[in-house]
Amino acid sequence: MHTVRFSQVDVFSAVPFKGNPLAVVFDADGLDGAQMQAIARWTNLSETTFLLAPTDPEADYRVRIFTTGGELPFAGHPTLGTAYALLESGYRPRRPGRLIQQCGVGLVELTRRAADCWAFAAPPARIQPLPPEHGVLLTRALGSEAIDFAATPSTVDNGAPWLLVRMHSAADCLALQPDDAALAAVTRAAGTDGVAIYGPHPAGGPADFEMRCLMTGGNFGTGEDPVTGSANAALARLLEAQGRRPAASYTVRQGVALQREGRVAIEHDNDGRIWIGGACITVIEGRFRY
């Protein structure tokens, strides 16, 4: 019997139970991929991460990210939550206020944006507009006539591919009751395992955008994800590409349909980089036996 350190972190929330939980397994160099997958299936969370010694001299650490169904080269809330858990454990960054994570997409930079908030640099993304003829199928799958087709629905792949769809309003986003089977057919045709649906809040609302992420199979699993860093990074890239970025800094609320209330902060800096940040809090600490 072996044991390793373990934390469960709530990501994109400053208080427990309002964000997206992440299991983080420390000192995982002795685990192989099959063992990691078995642990991820057992935790039954959207993602479980495994901290490893880096193989790139520029990196502070290496991480492997698993869903219950497979390994991802990148995911957002695991990136932020793993960095937070590592820092909470007493790790001191090689460069003050900066971390370099090694993962399947390469090196991802994180920086401290505030006293209690770190952010990761959104990785590059491939953007592919959804063919117009798929619009009718998407409308039927979502069961809504409130899709804003002026912002073309698009697949955005930053290591975790999402189909992004804009609604006319945040209220339209929250009101959706999609047909799961029909939606899965649309996302399969688009080459993704999920759809990220977003809509703008009115001025003075709780955030600039509301988002919901519906997972439709494959490595993502199924169901609704509480708060999704990769989808918010994809949204930032898409807003930039479509000329719809509201400001240099803006916020997204996610998880309301699941009685959560995650908050994601997005910042475009003067160097052209996009930072995806939010608060985290440790909920469980202990040891994992295998």
Side-chain angles (χ1 to χ4, degrees), residues 180-242:
D180 293 342
L183 191 60
V186 172
T187 58
R188 280 196 302 271
T192 79
D193 290 332
V195 58
I197 306 154
Y198 67 101
H201 279 282
D208 293 288
F209 295 100
E210 191 75 30
M211 177 178 277
R212 295 177 67 184
C213 287
L214 309 179
M215 303 178 294
T216 57
N219 284 344
F220 284 3
T222 58
E224 184 163 351
D225 198 42
V227 200
T228 317
S230 61
N232 277 281
L235 173 61
R237 293 289 185 191
L238 184 62
L239 291 172
E240 183 98 300
Q242 293 181 336

Side-chain angles (χ1 to χ4, degrees), residues 12 56 58-63 65 73-84 86-87 93-113 117-124 158 229 233 237 265 267 269 271-278:
F12 293 120
D56 189 306
E58 292 297 312
D60 286 89
Y61 61 96
R62 182 163 65 100
V63 66
I65 303 167
F74 170 77
H77 107 272
T79 292
L80 196 62
T82 301
Y84 176 84
L86 180 64
L87 293 166
R94 295 163 55 186
R95 309 159 191 85
R98 183 171 180 255
L99 286 169
I100 301 295
Q101 171 182 285
Q102 180 185 357
C103 59
V105 295
L107 299 180
V108 177
E109 182 178 359
L110 297 102
T111 64
R112 186 188 297 276
R113 310 308 282 179
C117 179
W118 282 68
F120 64 86
N158 55 19
R237 293 289 185 191
E267 180 182 346
D269 70 17
D271 297 322
R273 292 178 297 181
I274 303 172
W275 298 95
I276 312 299

Side-chain angles (χ1 to χ4, degrees), residues 3-75:
T3 62
V4 288
R5 289 181 296 153
F6 165 82
S7 291
Q8 190 159 311
V9 179
D10 213 8
V11 184
F12 293 120
S13 177
V15 297
F17 317 130
K18 288 296 184 180
N20 195 353
L22 172 74
V24 182
V25 177
F26 293 79
D27 308 316
D29 295 274
L31 296 169
D32 62 27
Q35 290 171 309
M36 292 179 188
Q37 185 64 77
I39 291 170
R41 281 196 298 267
W42 186 85
T43 65
N44 201 34
L45 297 175
S46 56
E47 281 99 3
T48 299
T49 62
F50 298 85
L51 274 162
L52 307 155
T55 58
D56 189 306
E58 292 297 312
D60 286 89
Y61 61 96
R62 182 163 65 100
V63 66
R64 293 182 68 178
I65 303 167
F66 285 80
T67 70
T68 56
E71 185 171 6
L72 297 177
F74 170 77

Side-chain angles (χ1 to χ4, degrees), residues 130 132 134-136 138-139 144-153 165-166 168 244:
L130 191 71
H134 290 186
V136 172
L138 181 61
T139 297
S144 174
E145 297 290 337
I147 299 172
D148 183 359
F149 283 104
T152 304
V165 179
R166 184 180 179 119
H168 286 299
R244 288 176 168 265

